[in-house]
Each structure stands twice: as C-alpha cells, then as structure tokens.
Amino acid sequence: MAKTKPGKKDLDSYTIKGTNKVVRPGDCVLMRPSDTDKLPYVALIEKIEADHRNNVKVRVRWYYRPEESIGGRRQFHGAKELFLSDHHDVQSAHTIEGKCTVHSFKNYTKLENVGAEDYFCRFEYKAATGGFTPDRVAVYCKCEMPYNPDDLMVQCEGCKDWFHPSCMGMTIEEAKKLDHFLCSDCSSDDDAKRSLNVFPVSPSLEAKEHPFIIGVDDME
C-alpha cells in the first residue's frame, strides 16, 4: 500500500535567499519576474507554507502597476502608485527578491523622503473587469483631476482649492517663488482678502464636491 505523503505545514516566516531579511504573512515583497527586462512584481504575502520536501511556497495577492491595468497609466497616477488586486496566486518563495512598503495614500504624502522600496496604494482593482474601489476620488484644479503626489500644486488663498501651475499659466519655477496665490476666479474679485502667509505645497486629502469617477469606460 502506498504511503500517504505528509501534508503541507504553515510557516511563520521565511528568510529571503541570499539575505538576512525575514518576511512574514502581511508583508509586502518584490518578486522576480521571468522577463528580466521587467520591473519586479509587488505582492502582499498572505500565507507561507512548506511541503514534505521543504519546498517553500507563498500565497500572494498581487499589486498591479497602473500600466498593467486595463485602463493603463493616467496623468494622475503617481510613479510609485500600485493597485491592490483581487488576483491571488501561489509562487515559489525563491522568487522573492526583497521587502518593500506599500503605504496608504495619506501616509505616503507625509513621507519626507521616498525610498526605492516605498510605494502607495489608494485603489483596489478587479483584474477581470478593470473596476476600482473606490470608484471616485477627490479632484482638484480647473482641470478637475485627482491629486498626483509627484506634481507640485499651489493653493488659492481665496477658495482654498489646489491648482497645477501649468493650468494657471505658470512654470514650476515661478510657482515655487510665490509668497501668496489667488486663482483667476478669486483674483477677479476686488474685495478678496489676500493673505501674506506662505502657501502649503501639497493638497490635503479632504474630499471635494466634484468626484472624479474611475471606470473602464472613462479610461478608454
């Protein structure tokens, strides 16, 4: 009678091959693609397990880069932006290259220095349909686009909205030299009060009145 092979066992951690870095379920990792010309894949480890031969596998939930999504990369997507997908997979632990951190959008915008292993996520992504959760986000400027943390924006001291310098007919260099700023609508009002305070250089994450709807049809 054939012997039953021992089952798999769950592991609490795994040491990345060739390093002393330890990963655990809940960590985000960089995984080596089969095509060496591509960027590493980013995944959330859900489970680590070993078979009877001590081959270690990881159950992962993939993050997608904007260019890997159905709609592709758009103007407001940050260079380090990722989407947490509903695509689950099992991979050899040997393909893990290193650890990384996927921040919330709010925490990412507060980073003083963005490192090579820092990413952010503000959307969950359905790989089969191209749908996003949430399907709408706050918009800024007269172009009514969501905030890209890579782009400089200036805040109007009148209406408190945020604007891209290019949308206001300014260069980045000109915007950085401003001590105060009023948008075209507010500056046309002679009674508008002009604050002399230096304006902040990045938007808050408070919701605006006009949501930007995210969807496949909108991306085509």
Side-chain angles (χ1 to χ4, degrees), residues 45 54 71 75 82 86 104 107 124 127 133 140 155 161 171 182 197 201:
I45 294 180
N54 211 33
Q75 178 184 344
L82 302 171
D86 58 355
S104 69
N107 288 343
E124 291 192 13
T133 304
Y140 304 89
Q155 187 179 35
D161 200 358
T171 65
L182 287 172
N197 295 330
V201 293

Side-chain angles (χ1 to χ4, degrees), residues 91-112:
Q91 294 287 314
S92 168
H94 291 308
T95 62
I96 299 176
E97 292 185 336
K99 297 177 69 173
C100 63
T101 302
V102 181
H103 302 270
S104 69
F105 184 52
K106 184 175 182 179
N107 288 343
Y108 181 85
T109 61
K110 294 180 178 179
L111 292 178
E112 292 185 4

Side-chain angles (χ1 to χ4, degrees), residues 113-199:
N113 296 296
V114 177
E117 297 176 350
D118 287 314
Y119 298 87
F120 74 89
C121 177
R122 54 180 158 179
F123 298 111
E124 291 192 13
Y125 175 69
K126 295 185 181 299
T129 64
F132 288 91
T133 304
D135 62 355
R136 53 183 62 207
V137 292
V139 297
Y140 304 89
C141 191
K142 63 181 183 181
C143 66
E144 295 194 342
M145 292 296 289
Y147 175 43
N148 181 341
D150 300 333
D151 294 341
L152 174 74
M153 299 186 80
V154 294
Q155 187 179 35
C156 173
E157 293 159 2
C159 63
K160 305 302 182 183
D161 200 358
W162 291 82
F163 296 85
H164 300 108
S166 59
C167 292
M168 304 307 294
M170 291 185 290
T171 65
I172 298 295
E173 291 71 25
E174 289 171 338
K176 289 180 177 179
K177 294 177 181 178
L178 290 174
D179 289 328
H180 58 87
F181 168 71
L182 287 172
C183 69
S184 55
D185 288 341
C186 292
S187 61
S188 64
D189 184 353
D190 293 337
D191 296 327
K193 294 182 180 179
R194 288 162 169 75
S195 169
L196 297 179
N197 295 330
V198 175
F199 59 86

